[in-house]
Structures are given as C-alpha cells and as structure tokens.
Amino acid sequence: MSNNKYFINTTKVIILIITLLGNASLYAQNTSTNNRWGKNAHISKTSLTLDGVKPIASWIWDSGPENPQNYYLLVRKTFNLDKVPLNAIAFISAYAYADVYINGKLFERCPMNCDPEYQCYDKFDIAGYLQKGANCITAVVQNFGVGLHSQMNARGGFFLQAKLNFPGRSVNLLSDSSWKVTHAKAWNTQTAFRDTNARLIGFIEEFDARLWPKNWQSAMFNDAAWENAKIIGVPPVAPWNQLTVIERPRLSRSMIKPVRQWKSGNKMVYDFGVEIVGYPRFTINSRKEGIKFEIGTGERLDTNRAPLLRVSSDHSEKYTTIKGVQSWRPYTWSGFRYFSIETNTNIDIQSVTAEFACYNYEMQSSFACSDAQLNKFWEIGRHTMRINSIDTYEDPWREHTQYIAGDSRYMQIFGNYAFGKSSRLLSAYNIISGAQSQRWRSDGAVRSRYPTDYFLQPGSSAYLADYQLEWMLMMYEYFLYYGNDELIEQLYPNLKKAMDYYKPFLDTKTGLLANLPGWIVLDWPSTYPIEQKSMITGTNCLYYGALNAAANIANDFGHDPQQAEQWKKEAAELKNNINKRLWSEKDQAYLDSYGGTRVAQQSQVYALEYGLADDSRKKGMIELIKKSGKASEQSFAYRVLKVMLSEGNEQWAMDYMRKNWGAQTRLASFNGAWQEGWDLPWGSTSHAWSSGPTALLTEKLLGIEPAGYGWKTFIVKPTVSDLTWAKGKVSTVSGDISASWKKTAGNHFFLKLSVPKGTKGRVYLPTSKQQSITINGKPPAKKSTYQMYAAGNNWYVITISAGTYQFECEINHAI
C-alpha cells in the first residue's frame, strides 16, 4: 500500500509543509505589545474588570431557553461611521464559541476555550476591518448545552465591548438589546454526538441551506423580523463570574487546494497531501433544491480509498442544497488529510479547498544540519506542533482537548525550540488552567483534562496523578524558557496545595509514594507497559523531580525559603528511599515497581533524567536501554534520546532517531505529521507529543539549552556524532541565540555563536587540548576575561558574555 499512487513521498510532504509554514503570517495583527510574549500576546490577571477596563457591555442571548442543546444563534449589529477610527480595541467573548465577522469577512473564532468561571475575553483591534459608512458586525454563536470531553456545560451567550477612538473623541460599541438575534434554523438541533462514549468534540452537523438567511451579514440586510437581543447582564454575571483578558495573534489562516482527487463508489475523494487542521470547503452548482448528501473528513483511507469518517469519533456532516451555486464549510474544525463528498447527478462540484487555521506562531527559530533526513524530521515536528495548536494545545482530530501537562509539557518543550517565545502564551494558559482546575477538588488534585465536567469517573483521563507531577515540572521549565512571570508566580499557593496532595500517599515503611489513585500513564501503557505495582519507580522519580522543582520555585519566586528547605529535605529522603528500595543489584538497574521483577527501559530513563543514579550505576542502566532498543512509545522516546545524548551515547541516539522516526515516514498512514504512537491503527496521525526530534536536534545536536531563568544564562554543548555541520537559532525572551558549527578534515572544529545582550553563554568545546583553542582567531590570553576550565577529559568550558564569537579547536575524542 505504501507504493500506492495515492500516497505521496516524504519529500513532497516536506514541500507542502514548508508551503503551509510560509503562510503563518496571514491575518496577523499590526498592534504591538510586550514582545517577551511574542507579538500581540498576553494574558491578564483574572479579575472583575477587562484588564482594568470597566465592563459596560452586556452578555446577550435570545428569548428562548438559556441553555439549548446543539444550538446555533445568529447575532448582528449595524452602525454607521463618518470615518475609520484610529483604533478600535474590542473585547469579544461567547459561550461556547462565536465565529465573528466584520462587514462579511471572518474576523476570528472567539474566545479561547475556557472554564466559564474564569471566562476568557479576547482583546483585538478591529479598526482594520471597519469602513466609512455602513458597517455590520455579525456572529454565529454555538452552544453545546451539555458537558463534553473538552467543554464545560454552561448557558449560551455573546459579548462585545469596543471603544472606537477618533481624533479628539471616542465612541463605544456595546452588545445590548439593540442587537438583533435569531435562531440559526439551518442547523438541525437533533443530531447525534460524534462520540457517545466520551462526547468527543460535540455534535454532527446537519445543515439545510434552504433555511439560511441570504446576505444576512450585509449591512443592507433587512433584520426587522429578527428579535432584539435579551440582556443577560454586565459581567461579572453568572456563570461568567471572573474575567480573563487574552490578547493573542489571530489564527493563521490560508486557503489550500487538494493535490489529487479520485472517485470511490458514490464519493469524490480529495487529498490535501498532508495532515492539516481547519475546515474543508466546497462550491457546488445544484440543479435542484433539497438534495441531501454527506461530506466528511478523515486522516486515513478505508480499503476502497474513501476517508474513514467514523473512527473514534464521527467526522461526517450532512448538507441540503438550495438551487444554484453555493458554498459551505462546517462550523466545526478538524484535523484531516482527506475530504469526501457524496455525488449526485443533479450536482456539479465546482471546487474544493480547505481553510488551514492554526495558532499564529512566529516562525523565527530554525535548524538545519548535514543530514537531510534529520532536517525533514525537524520540519515535520514543527508542522505537527502547528496543527496541534489552535486556541490551546490540543489534538485536532479526536479530542479537541487541552491536557494539563502530560501532552502539553512535551509541547511546551517542543514549542520552545520550534517557535521560541511566541509559544509562551499557550504554555502559560495551560499552566494557569491547571491551577484553575483545583476549584473542583479541595485536596489539591489537578485536573488533567480541562476544561471539562464530563467523563470524570475513576480511571478516566480527568485526574492523572503523574500528569499532576508533570504540571509542577512544567511550571519550573516555564520559568527557564520565559523567565519571571507574575501570572505564574501568583500560582504558588496552588503549587503548594498540589504538593500537599501527595503526602497522604507516602508509605510509612518504605518512604515511597504508594497506591496513587486513578490511571497512571507514564509511558503509553497499552503498547509498552511498565510493571505497575503499588509503589512505581516512574511516579517516585517524577515526585523527586517535582520536589526539587517546587523547592526552586519556592526559593526564587514564592519568597518562601522555609518551604524550599523542607521540600529539598523531602527530596533528599526520597532519593535515598528510591535508591534503597527500587534498585536491583541482580539486574544492575531500577525495578519498575517495589516488589516487582521487571526492569523496563522507561524506569532507567526516569532515574537518569532526574539525577537519581550515581555514576557507578549508570553503565548497567545505559546498557539495558541500548539492549532494549525501541521499548517505549514515540512520545516517551524523546526522554530516552535526551538521556542517551546527555550521557554520551550520541551515535546510538542518532541511529535510533533515524531508524524509528524514519520508519514512520514510510508508513502508508504517514500524513506529514507525527502520529500518536509508532504504528497505532486507532491513534491520531497528528499528535505533537511525538515531535521529539524538533527539540532534540536544536537542544542536543546544535546544543542550545537554558541554564537560568528566561535564558539569562544558557549552555551551548554541540553533539557532533556523524554530522559534519549544524546551524540554527532559538528565539528566546532574552533575544535570538544563533549558533553554527562544522568539523573539517584534520579533526578541526569551528563554532560560531551569537550571544544576546544581557545574557551569558557557557560554551563546551569538544577538546582536551587547550592549546588548540582560539577565540575570534586568537588564543585566549592567560589573564583572559573568559572563564575557562576543563570538564573531564572531553570538554573545555568557556563562559562568555554578549557578542558574536568564533571558536576553533582540535577534536581529539569521539563525540
């Protein structure tokens, strides 16, 4: 099947991905904000104001039920302007979502997915969409009316508050009873859930174009038959009791065309070449009205080369025609590669396109090296990150769910290297959501899937004890990548409460965490299981890491040195207990669990990653990791390779990456994005937690890693292995860090490095021959301003301040 003419090769996939990446700046805002968050990005403190602006607009709805199920509401407001304003700062919100249009053009899908108790209000400057004369703002508001896997149940509503500023005056534009509303009867409210088990995504769409009001988004439309909006109240008003303002870049949107098409039974199938996220769109000419047909999207094809529309969740829709030419796209976005339309003799399909829509990252970080395959891996990972980033980090195909840590901890790391500081907002929002989830539990447990109020039973993905530990580690790593942040600082009480959650689970006999409730993930348990008895090595290693991370946060940001010392003491005791209770002398490795017999690869990785093993134990652990080969799922393999690269096993790690990620690119199911697992027949073919190479290639091969908060200090420690050169850049909150290295005949090594103002770099040169080192063409003087010392027999370390440098040395060992 991999040779089927309907599958394109990896090179063409990369070309398509790079084309999509090139469209990332479409629809970006022009206003500038604090660039440490990336352009046009910031999160306000949750309060009773709109980031200091008094709310004066009202939440509005229609006169029907407050919380109707599977309901769409049309909202519109017309107004006249004698000139275009200098700016027009608007706060827009809805529950659950609104596609907002200004003068007939889609402006944005608002707001970010949130808990209504901490309702998000998107802040935008809408002046560029306004015009002199008649103007019209419209919105299609969706209300689920039930709790979903990725959505809390709350009543429907819409909100807009804008201040239009002109020279010498300003005008308010407010949602109130003068707005017009009507039920969007074109959507059938009685359709089924896409997934009846976990209520993934929402409802199947059935749209009847005959019931759609023609030209309703025009200022000239006659809305006299529509009712005036019913006022719910000025916020804060239940259920939207607290206000969080989100300033974010508008989604990157671009229209793409399929690369091929074919007939399968009674369906036309369209292949977009790679996995994308967004909305399929068709234009047809129907010779009759009332013709009903099915459309749908899929990541995979069935045996008849038609998209698999109903795997895990149902991605089909129904459309009923008017007579003549018409275009439509579903309201629900999805991840997909394939799109199908049922054919009919009375319908001519004129065109099919897709609106690619994802978070508008800044594309300022880069990587390239002498291995073209690794360069492809880096680009595939960045593309996968983009299609898993909408308004939050989330799976685009099956779940639409933001996981707190777990998935998002990987995505914070990978986003840091793929996009730099412009990934900050999504990481901050994820950590903040983790703190907000604690309103549901008095014991401090962090909800792992949020926001949601459905599918919360024991053993589900709502509370994952290891993900809560990952949340604490993610918070510490956030400070490393983005520096001091008062929004994250203020979560310190939540962190303390989350840490306290684990104390009752410490076994008095062994001093280990025992009998943690719920589902323990660690690595994906159904494919590469870890022996899980009551006291698990992986969770205890994570707890050790979390104690140290919490101690650093308490000391540096929580202004709580006494608590920091307590956590450090508890970490030291836990380390001793892990090494005493979980080490197997017979196996020269850590057991998976206390009282167990298995010594899995993952347990050794956890112990190495968090510094629990002394040097005398590492040899046997590393040999076990090598012997095990591919013994973890694709996401966890990032941690496997990071440990092996850190411990000097560069070539093994490089061979593993090429072999196993390379094998996935040759699967028939490969869609240009990394899959949820190595070869899961049921899993998503677009899961960003599998994008490990995008981080590792910059982090370890180019060798750039933060050493202090906000990259104020950083390390450059290249991994050469069998490469001859590598280059790249990380866009950080402290400035761009650029590096390039090459090795030449005669074992000469050259490194160029740009160090931003206000930072210091610690450079590791792969030599033990101090006399071979030159800096900017000259040997360092004996009384040099550079701090230089030997690190073992393999490296010389030089500390440098801001500037541009060229280093040269002679390699005298295998690196």
Tab-separated table of all heavy atoms in Angstrom, residues 408-433:
chain	number	residue	atom	x	y	z
A	408	SER	N	0.980	18.496	27.115
A	408	SER	CA	1.377	19.895	26.992
A	408	SER	C	2.770	20.172	27.543
A	408	SER	O	3.408	21.145	27.143
A	408	SER	CB	0.358	20.805	27.675
A	408	SER	OG	0.284	20.515	29.051
A	409	ARG	N	3.258	19.327	28.451
A	409	ARG	CA	4.646	19.516	28.881
A	409	ARG	C	5.581	19.238	27.714
A	409	ARG	O	6.548	19.978	27.481
A	409	ARG	CB	4.981	18.611	30.067
A	409	ARG	CG	6.383	18.887	30.607
A	409	ARG	CD	6.772	17.969	31.737
A	409	ARG	NE	8.152	18.192	32.109
A	409	ARG	CZ	8.955	17.289	32.667
A	409	ARG	NH1	8.484	16.080	32.950
A	409	ARG	NH2	10.199	17.570	32.959
A	410	TYR	N	5.315	18.163	26.977
A	410	TYR	CA	6.081	17.924	25.758
A	410	TYR	C	5.961	19.121	24.813
A	410	TYR	O	6.947	19.585	24.241
A	410	TYR	CB	5.566	16.675	25.044
A	410	TYR	CG	5.974	15.358	25.649
A	410	TYR	CD1	5.025	14.511	26.223
A	410	TYR	CD2	7.294	14.922	25.612
A	410	TYR	CE1	5.389	13.278	26.760
A	410	TYR	CE2	7.664	13.692	26.145
A	410	TYR	CZ	6.710	12.873	26.721
A	410	TYR	OH	7.068	11.658	27.245
A	411	MET	N	4.741	19.615	24.644
A	411	MET	CA	4.514	20.681	23.668
A	411	MET	C	5.178	21.984	24.090
A	411	MET	O	5.611	22.766	23.241
A	411	MET	CB	3.023	20.852	23.433
A	411	MET	CG	2.397	19.647	22.741
A	411	MET	SD	0.633	19.810	22.436
A	411	MET	CE	0.640	20.960	21.067
A	412	GLN	N	5.267	22.242	25.390
A	412	GLN	CA	5.987	23.431	25.838
A	412	GLN	C	7.460	23.331	25.454
A	412	GLN	O	8.045	24.298	24.956
A	412	GLN	CB	5.867	23.587	27.353
A	412	GLN	CG	6.698	24.754	27.899
A	412	GLN	CD	6.487	24.996	29.378
A	412	GLN	OE1	5.705	25.848	29.767
A	412	GLN	NE2	7.185	24.242	30.204
A	413	ILE	N	8.060	22.164	25.674
A	413	ILE	CA	9.468	21.965	25.323
A	413	ILE	C	9.661	22.073	23.816
A	413	ILE	O	10.536	22.803	23.329
A	413	ILE	CB	9.950	20.593	25.824
A	413	ILE	CG1	9.904	20.536	27.357
A	413	ILE	CG2	11.374	20.309	25.330
A	413	ILE	CD1	10.076	19.133	27.927
A	414	PHE	N	8.827	21.366	23.056
A	414	PHE	CA	8.991	21.342	21.607
A	414	PHE	C	8.689	22.717	21.001
A	414	PHE	O	9.367	23.162	20.083
A	414	PHE	CB	8.090	20.283	20.984
A	414	PHE	CG	8.310	18.884	21.517
A	414	PHE	CD1	7.370	17.888	21.304
A	414	PHE	CD2	9.443	18.557	22.246
A	414	PHE	CE1	7.557	16.601	21.774
A	414	PHE	CE2	9.640	17.270	22.743
A	414	PHE	CZ	8.694	16.293	22.510
A	415	GLY	N	7.652	23.390	21.524
A	415	GLY	CA	7.319	24.716	21.029
A	415	GLY	C	8.418	25.717	21.296
A	415	GLY	O	8.665	26.629	20.489
A	416	ASN	N	9.097	25.561	22.423
A	416	ASN	CA	10.201	26.458	22.748
A	416	ASN	C	11.276	26.412	21.672
A	416	ASN	O	11.850	27.441	21.301
A	416	ASN	CB	10.788	26.059	24.107
A	416	ASN	CG	12.080	26.780	24.418
A	416	ASN	OD1	12.088	27.968	24.615
A	416	ASN	ND2	13.176	26.045	24.443
A	417	TYR	N	11.545	25.217	21.133
A	417	TYR	CA	12.582	25.094	20.107
A	417	TYR	C	12.050	25.318	18.696
A	417	TYR	O	12.793	25.748	17.816
A	417	TYR	CB	13.261	23.730	20.227
A	417	TYR	CG	14.181	23.673	21.432
A	417	TYR	CD1	13.813	23.004	22.590
A	417	TYR	CD2	15.395	24.343	21.417
A	417	TYR	CE1	14.651	22.984	23.696
A	417	TYR	CE2	16.235	24.340	22.520
A	417	TYR	CZ	15.858	23.662	23.658
A	417	TYR	OH	16.682	23.664	24.758
A	418	ALA	N	10.783	25.035	18.465
A	418	ALA	CA	10.222	25.234	17.127
A	418	ALA	C	9.865	26.694	16.864
A	418	ALA	O	10.006	27.179	15.740
A	418	ALA	CB	8.984	24.361	16.938
A	419	PHE	N	9.399	27.396	17.902
A	419	PHE	CA	8.868	28.747	17.705
A	419	PHE	C	9.428	29.778	18.684
A	419	PHE	O	9.206	30.972	18.511
A	419	PHE	CB	7.341	28.736	17.837
A	419	PHE	CG	6.677	27.674	17.033
A	419	PHE	CD1	6.109	26.570	17.641
A	419	PHE	CD2	6.632	27.753	15.652
A	419	PHE	CE1	5.495	25.568	16.912
A	419	PHE	CE2	6.022	26.760	14.896
A	419	PHE	CZ	5.456	25.654	15.526
A	420	GLY	N	10.093	29.339	19.743
A	420	GLY	CA	10.647	30.284	20.691
A	420	GLY	C	9.592	30.969	21.527
A	420	GLY	O	8.586	30.375	21.907
A	421	LYS	N	9.794	32.235	21.780
A	421	LYS	CA	8.951	32.965	22.732
A	421	LYS	C	7.498	33.064	22.300
A	421	LYS	O	6.623	33.279	23.136
A	421	LYS	CB	9.511	34.370	22.958
A	421	LYS	CG	9.523	35.265	21.732
A	421	LYS	CD	10.088	36.642	22.066
A	421	LYS	CE	10.126	37.556	20.857
A	421	LYS	NZ	11.138	37.131	19.864
A	422	SER	N	7.210	32.892	21.021
A	422	SER	CA	5.814	33.019	20.590
A	422	SER	C	4.955	31.844	21.030
A	422	SER	O	3.744	31.871	20.868
A	422	SER	CB	5.722	33.202	19.073
A	422	SER	OG	6.061	32.021	18.388
A	423	SER	N	5.576	30.801	21.611
A	423	SER	CA	4.792	29.703	22.170
A	423	SER	C	4.445	29.952	23.638
A	423	SER	O	3.789	29.125	24.271
A	423	SER	CB	5.555	28.382	22.040
A	423	SER	OG	6.747	28.407	22.802
A	424	ARG	N	4.858	31.090	24.162
A	424	ARG	CA	4.695	31.365	25.587
A	424	ARG	C	3.229	31.405	26.014
A	424	ARG	O	2.856	30.862	27.062
A	424	ARG	CB	5.372	32.695	25.931
A	424	ARG	CG	5.216	33.131	27.374
A	424	ARG	CD	5.983	34.420	27.645
A	424	ARG	NE	5.873	34.823	29.044
A	424	ARG	CZ	6.586	35.800	29.586
A	424	ARG	NH1	7.456	36.463	28.849
A	424	ARG	NH2	6.434	36.115	30.857
A	425	LEU	N	2.381	32.055	25.237
A	425	LEU	CA	1.001	32.245	25.650
A	425	LEU	C	0.297	30.903	25.859
A	425	LEU	O	-0.397	30.721	26.863
A	425	LEU	CB	0.241	33.088	24.621
A	425	LEU	CG	-1.207	33.400	25.012
A	425	LEU	CD1	-1.549	34.849	24.696
A	425	LEU	CD2	-2.194	32.481	24.300
A	426	LEU	N	0.477	29.968	24.942
A	426	LEU	CA	-0.222	28.692	25.076
A	426	LEU	C	0.301	27.904	26.278
A	426	LEU	O	-0.469	27.218	26.953
A	426	LEU	CB	-0.078	27.873	23.796
A	426	LEU	CG	-0.721	28.464	22.539
A	426	LEU	CD1	-0.658	27.470	21.385
A	426	LEU	CD2	-2.158	28.869	22.786
A	427	SER	N	1.600	28.001	26.546
A	427	SER	CA	2.149	27.317	27.718
A	427	SER	C	1.644	27.948	29.000
A	427	SER	O	1.260	27.247	29.944
A	427	SER	CB	3.677	27.353	27.672
A	427	SER	OG	4.173	26.590	26.586
A	428	ALA	N	1.630	29.280	29.049
A	428	ALA	CA	1.134	29.960	30.249
A	428	ALA	C	-0.329	29.638	30.497
A	428	ALA	O	-0.740	29.369	31.632
A	428	ALA	CB	1.325	31.472	30.105
A	429	TYR	N	-1.122	29.634	29.431
A	429	TYR	CA	-2.549	29.364	29.588
A	429	TYR	C	-2.778	27.954	30.107
A	429	TYR	O	-3.668	27.713	30.925
A	429	TYR	CB	-3.269	29.574	28.260
A	429	TYR	CG	-4.775	29.478	28.374
A	429	TYR	CD1	-5.489	30.491	29.004
A	429	TYR	CD2	-5.471	28.383	27.889
A	429	TYR	CE1	-6.873	30.413	29.132
A	429	TYR	CE2	-6.842	28.289	28.006
A	429	TYR	CZ	-7.545	29.303	28.633
A	429	TYR	OH	-8.905	29.221	28.779
A	430	ASN	N	-1.959	27.008	29.651
A	430	ASN	CA	-2.096	25.631	30.107
A	430	ASN	C	-1.786	25.515	31.595
A	430	ASN	O	-2.501	24.851	32.343
A	430	ASN	CB	-1.171	24.728	29.291
A	430	ASN	CG	-1.374	23.265	29.582
A	430	ASN	OD1	-0.762	22.734	30.496
A	430	ASN	ND2	-2.229	22.615	28.816
A	431	ILE	N	-0.724	26.160	32.040
A	431	ILE	CA	-0.358	26.108	33.457
A	431	ILE	C	-1.418	26.791	34.308
A	431	ILE	O	-1.801	26.300	35.374
A	431	ILE	CB	1.024	26.757	33.663
A	431	ILE	CG1	2.100	25.907	32.993
A	431	ILE	CG2	1.334	26.913	35.154
A	431	ILE	CD1	3.458	26.570	32.922
A	432	ILE	N	-1.912	27.926	33.846
A	432	ILE	CA	-2.957	28.637	34.584
A	432	ILE	C	-4.227	27.787	34.658
A	432	ILE	O	-4.885	27.713	35.700
A	432	ILE	CB	-3.236	30.001	33.924
A	432	ILE	CG1	-2.030	30.931	34.113
A	432	ILE	CG2	-4.485	30.655	34.507
A	432	ILE	CD1	-2.067	32.168	33.256
A	433	SER	N	-4.572	27.119	33.553
A	433	SER	CA	-5.738	26.236	33.567
A	433	SER	C	-5.578	25.134	34.598
A	433	SER	O	-6.545	24.727	35.250
A	433	SER	CB	-5.952	25.620	32.181
A	433	SER	OG	-6.262	26.610	31.224
